[in-house]
Amino acid sequence: MGNRPDELRALLDSVAKQDGGPVEVVVVGNGSPVPDVTGSIPGVRTVELPENLGIPGGRNVGIEAFGPGGTDVDILLFLDDDGLLARHDTAELCRQAFAADPELGIISFRIADPETGITQRRHVPRLRASDPMRDSRVTTFLGGANAVRTKVLAEVGGLPEEFFYAHEETDLAWRALDAGWMIDYRSDMVLNHPTTAPSRHAVYHRMVARNRVWLARRNLPAPLVPVYLGVWMLLTLARRPSRPALKAWFGGFKEGWTSPCGPRRPMKWRTVWRLTRLGRPPVI
């Protein structure tokens, strides 16, 4: 968004220091000018969008900067502009992981606070999240710190631009899993990122609820849609949000049912079973 120039330069410096071959970089200004990044990485490219397309829309523009569907490269890394690659071997570890496992489609990095080293529970993309140092197969990934094989995008498409913010990663993850790809969480691929609360965004509660409905409507077999959304409604109420937050949440939930959500492509029942075996059946 152009409001963190110092953090962006630090991130680019951490990318420039990666071992192995050079990493091509595109910086997308999502409805804002891109700060001066000359000198950070040779050949860094910039794209300035006239309006904010949201997180998935902006990232899709970044994908296309590497050719149609990103096909000029084999792997795409998505990194939040206020993050910092903690190690110099992250890019090389990505190359090795994808080369060793032809079924691997997406890698979710570990996000750690730069001051404390702590990884928030919400940043471990599985239900059993108490040990962030344990690597595992997972059913979704973190949008601000990940690597995606471009063959996945060529097969299942990019991020759902309609979502604007929240749950776009899970939509892509479910489509990838349905196509036979796997997703790994890797604790040794680290993005340092300050600890924050997702509710800091004014649109958080409405978008989370609306997009949760869209996610179900787009991807789940019909019998699972009410189960999935019913479970999430109970979980939301159990967390006892404030009255304004709850009002925004129910407004978003209604919007999710009354507004178009894009094409519906329900996953196969064998994908439901795969998600269940991976520890997260698509009802929670």
Side-chain angles (χ1 to χ4, degrees):
M1 298 298 295
N3 55 358
R4 295 188 282 236
D6 294 338
E7 292 89 340
L8 174 60
R9 291 190 193 97
L11 170 64
L12 294 176
D13 287 343
S14 74
V15 173
K17 294 174 182 175
Q18 291 298 299
D19 299 337
V23 179
E24 295 183 51
V25 176
V26 169
V27 178
V28 178
N30 209 350
S32 67
V34 176
D36 181 17
V37 293
T38 56
S40 300
I41 296 180
V44 61
R45 291 176 283 162
T46 61
V47 179
E48 294 185 356
L49 302 176
E51 62 177 311
N52 182 359
L53 301 181
I55 294 173
R59 287 180 179 152
N60 283 344
V61 169
I63 292 170
E64 294 301 312
F66 294 99
T71 49
D72 289 350
V73 294
D74 297 320
I75 306 167
L76 285 164
L77 277 67
F78 297 91
L79 303 170
D80 275 357
D81 65 350
D82 55 347
L84 181 77
L85 290 175
R87 297 169 41 155
H88 293 176
D89 61 351
T90 302
E92 192 61 26
L93 288 173
C94 285
R95 296 184 186 103
Q96 293 170 7
F98 285 115
D101 185 355
E103 292 186 342
L104 180 61
I106 302 171
I107 301 173
S108 188
F109 298 178
R110 180 167 64 90
I111 292 180
D113 184 273
E115 300 295 330
T116 66
I118 293 174
T119 296
Q120 291 180 272
R121 187 180 183 90
R122 70 185 182 89
H123 283 152
V124 183
R126 57 176 180 246
L127 290 179
R128 297 189 181 117
S130 59
D131 182 7
M133 301 307 294
R134 178 172 67 87
D135 298 346
S136 67
R137 296 284 202 196
V138 290
T139 61
T140 188
F141 64 99
L142 304 176
N146 66 80
V148 180
R149 195 191 295 265
T150 50
K151 287 182 180 179
V152 174
L153 302 170
E155 186 171 351
V156 307
L159 294 155
E161 297 189 8
E162 305 95 326
F163 282 42
F164 196 84
Y165 164 78
H167 303 317
E168 67 273 3
E169 303 94 350
T170 301
D171 187 90
L172 176 57
W174 282 2
R175 285 183 280 127
L177 288 163
D178 197 48
W181 296 100
M182 301 301 293
I183 306 169
D184 278 357
Y185 167 76
R186 288 282 297 265
S187 63
D188 57 343
M189 301 181 190
V190 184
L191 184 82
N192 282 342
H193 187 284
T195 298
T196 57
S199 54
R200 70 190 185 279
H201 299 293
V203 297
Y204 172 77
H205 295 287
R206 180 176 69 87
M207 293 287 195
V208 162
R210 183 197 68 181
N211 292 359
R212 183 79 70 183
V213 177
W214 282 0
L215 182 67
R217 288 176 57 196
R218 286 164 59 99
N219 295 288
L220 290 181
L224 294 185
V225 172
V227 180
Y228 177 81
L229 295 176
V231 167
W232 275 105
M233 181 178 289
L234 292 174
L235 286 171
T236 299
L237 295 173
R239 291 168 179 165
R240 303 180 67 181
S242 66
R243 187 181 294 271
L246 196 60
K247 182 178 179 181
W249 193 92
F250 274 107
F253 192 83
K254 179 181 178 182
E255 184 182 349
W257 285 107
T258 57
S259 57
C261 62
R264 172 168 165 75
R265 298 187 182 94
M267 65 178 65
K268 307 173 191 73
W269 282 104
R270 69 179 180 221
T271 305
V272 173
W273 176 236
R274 170 185 279 192
L275 289 162
T276 302
R277 285 190 293 112
L278 289 170
R280 190 150 199 167
V283 293
I284 187 171

